[in-house]
Amino acid sequence: MSPVHPAGAPNAGKRRFVVEADGGSRGNPGPAGYGAVVLDAASGETLAETAEFIGTATNNVAEYRGLIAGLRAAHALDPEAAVLVRMDSKLVVEQMSGRWKIKHPDMRPLAAEARTVFPAPGQVSYTWIPREKNKHADRLANEAMDAGRRGEKWAPAGSRAALAGGPRPEAAADSAEPAELDGLDGLDGLDGLDGAGGPGERAGAPAATPAGWAAPADLGTPATFVLLRHGETDLTPEKRFSGSGGDDPGLSAAGRRQAEATAAALAARGTVQAIVTSPLRRCQETAQAVAARTGLDVRVDEGLREADFGAWEGLSFAEVRERHPRDLDAWLTSPQAAPTGGESFAAVARRVALSRDKLIARYAGRTVLLVTHVTPIKTLVRLALGAPARSLFHMELAPASLSVVAYYADGNASLRLLNDTHHLR
């Protein structure tokens, strides 16, 4: 089912990225490398960089490899985003736009691979830019080739491509023309994750470079999110909907004991370097328990609040089934469907992903405790795994449980822990 957008805004609510990519060969064919950068289309902020020395290859092969890497980096940030690709290769832009035929046998599999990264029709658009406006990606490609010449791998920590390219205040204006980005229609959004075309289910889709145990050493220390679900409230044992749209209950006596036990365990480990919490009372009380043990300040992030369950707030599942059967059925089958008067999983995913990206940038290479709720934690796990939206209904998160996701500099994420409650026993 495709989402319904307001007239004149076919991608309302979608995150929008700009991918700038380039590749080069010193000899054509010769020692080659690529570089790509993902930008926020609204602000021009750099969200991800990637580059690699690929050995002996032609310019065109390197350019296509840069395109694929840039699309994968964007996909790792948000597989439902609308993407505008900007390159100074007329060949790649015209071929990927479908206006030129791909005759060279080396180019066909690369173009096919690029199309599998964001398979939804119209999700990716292409535009040509002059070389002087592609300096960031060009410098990344040259850094990769220079590293290859030294027998090294390109490392993001040592990159100066963004600095050497100068300030980028024009990036948003040049990269995010409304006519081009608003024209990226045909998106199925999170609905597309429910079918066979979703990430992790696409037949023949290229696998991303694995993170975690297989991550190369040159990726550096990841940003690590320790995800703590708040302790129990009086509504928790009764399994009632308790989001951000109803009462704001505090911790029950059992919930306070859970928060204290968790705080003691985290303080003993000594790995948490910062604390960020949902604004809701039950999370703030849980976060303060940890802060009292660790001496860390607590920062509030609105994006970490629980879903708004609308008219379902305070009701049990059986009561919702009785009072709002059609809305419940829709909610159980489509992430675009919202609880009666509430917030859909798709809407939650968009704001959670935005908070995630900001926190990754703020806490790069550090371990941060995020005190939040069931839906945001499941959403972060789902996005890290590239899992379909329906996976939200197949995860269990106990009160005061801990989960851990690590985010690497190349855009990959690794789930390290899920629903751990050993500290409560």
Side-chain angles (χ1 to χ4, degrees), residues 215-236:
D218 64 356
L219 291 181
T221 304
T224 301
F225 289 0
V226 179
L227 307 172
L228 170 59
R229 184 189 172 192
H230 60 80
E232 286 186 10
T233 72
D234 289 337
L235 296 177
T236 307

Side-chain angles (χ1 to χ4, degrees), residues 10 50 107 112 114 134 138 141 146 168 174 192 203 210 253 299 304 322 337-338 385 422:
T50 183
M107 302 299 110
N134 203 26
D138 176 72
D146 290 343
R168 293 297 305 278
D174 286 347
R299 177 185 292 270
L304 297 180
E322 180 181 353
L385 296 176
H422 284 85

